[in-house]
Amino acid sequence: MTTGTRTATTEIIGILGGMGPAATADFYAKLVATTPGTSDQDHLRTVIWSDPTIPDRTEALLGDGPDPTPWLLEGSRVLREAGATVIAIPCNTAHAFVPRIVDHIGLPIVHMIGEVARHLTTLNPRIHTVGLLATTGTVRAGLYQEWLDRFGVRLVLPSTLSQNNEVMTAIHAVKAGTRDDRTTALLARAARRLTEQGAQAVVAGCTEIPLGLPADAVDVPLVDPALVLARALVRRATAENTAA
């Protein structure tokens, strides 16, 4: 799923990161691990702009903080001037602001949430109901609801109590550098509540969540949007190289 227009024929991945820094580092590691190859030269050229000063996306969506759009535009400009030909944003909540920047950056954006929705339709057995663990900003913005509706997939969400006391508490802990058994237990408990509502898979819809929730802590498939995005970028680059 891409938006915008391409400006070059040789792909250079631009990672608009810093939201947060650990998630950006994790995403790049997944991009490297996903890329097939046997030597340095087989990997993708990549430019990373990690700006942790970007205002909190959830606070902005809830009306409690500044709009991060100017920072996202500036980061996109830096990536474009550094030679990037496509942009990836390894932050789910930041995708609420993609409509505000996509027509102004001159590069396509591979839409992580759109890629996740498409990925869910490829799973076997077919997924009819999926649970979402994400920031309150992502939930309130309806980012996954909008995309999953397009593919006929039902979405179940944590209760307000679970969202506040389990999901957001765990996300804040990971952002603070804490990845312990308590963090995992909070997220696993929230995931279990979703499967009890009928979720056949759970989307780790905040890039901090996979850092605190191993896939084997959930009794249904745990979908990692950062990994899905990395694979989409590799497919795109591979197709570009084949066409060239």
Side-chain angles (χ1 to χ4, degrees):
M1 306 288 175
T2 60
T3 51
T5 56
R6 298 204 56 193
T7 59
T9 57
T10 303
E11 204 79 291
I12 300 176
I13 310 299
I15 299 174
L16 184 55
M19 304 172 281
T24 300
D26 179 64
F27 173 70
Y28 182 60
K30 287 169 179 170
L31 181 64
V32 171
T34 301
T35 304
T38 58
S39 68
D40 294 348
Q41 290 74 27
D42 291 326
H43 285 268
L44 303 176
R45 293 187 294 171
T46 306
V47 179
I48 300 173
W49 175 251
S50 182
D51 181 6
T53 70
I54 298 173
D56 188 277
R57 284 65 59 198
T58 289
E59 289 183 3
L61 290 169
L62 299 180
D64 296 327
D67 181 358
T69 300
W71 283 262
L72 297 173
L73 285 169
E74 174 62 13
S76 299
R77 182 193 65 77
V78 171
L79 291 171
R80 184 180 67 248
E81 293 184 357
T85 59
V86 63
I87 287 182
I89 308 174
C91 172
N92 290 265
T93 315
H95 280 69
F97 302 92
V98 165
R100 304 184 190 181
I101 69 172
V102 66
D103 293 331
H104 303 286
I105 61 177
L107 295 175
I109 297 172
V110 178
H111 199 289
M112 181 162 63
I113 297 175
E115 292 294 340
V116 170
R118 187 202 60 79
H119 169 72
L120 287 168
T121 67
T122 69
L123 297 182
N124 190 22
R126 183 180 174 188
I127 301 294
H128 299 280
T129 303
V130 67
L132 176 65
L133 298 177
T135 66
T136 302
T138 294
V139 172
R140 294 275 184 90
L143 299 177
Y144 276 93
Q145 291 90 326
E146 176 187 348
W147 278 96
L148 293 176
D149 282 349
R150 302 182 190 186
F151 290 91
V153 178
R154 173 175 170 257
L155 184 66
V156 293
L157 299 168
S159 67
T160 300
L161 191 64
S162 175
Q163 179 67 27
N164 293 336
N165 295 346
E166 294 170 344
V167 182
M168 288 304 296
T169 297
I171 289 171
H172 288 312
V174 173
K175 283 184 176 291
T178 303
R179 308 179 199 177
D180 56 13
D181 291 344
R182 178 176 179 271
T183 303
T184 298
L186 287 171
L187 290 169
R189 193 178 309 137
R192 185 168 60 250
R193 297 185 198 281
L194 296 176
T195 61
E196 289 170 354
Q197 295 182 62
Q200 300 162 280
V202 172
V203 173
C206 170
T207 42
E208 271 76 28
I209 288 176
L211 300 178
L213 181 64
D216 60 8
V218 184
D219 57 7
V220 297
L222 182 66
V223 178
D224 179 353
L227 184 57
V228 172
L229 177 60
R231 289 172 175 164
L233 290 165
V234 170
R235 285 196 306 272
R236 178 187 171 98
T238 301
E240 177 68 20
N241 289 339
T242 301

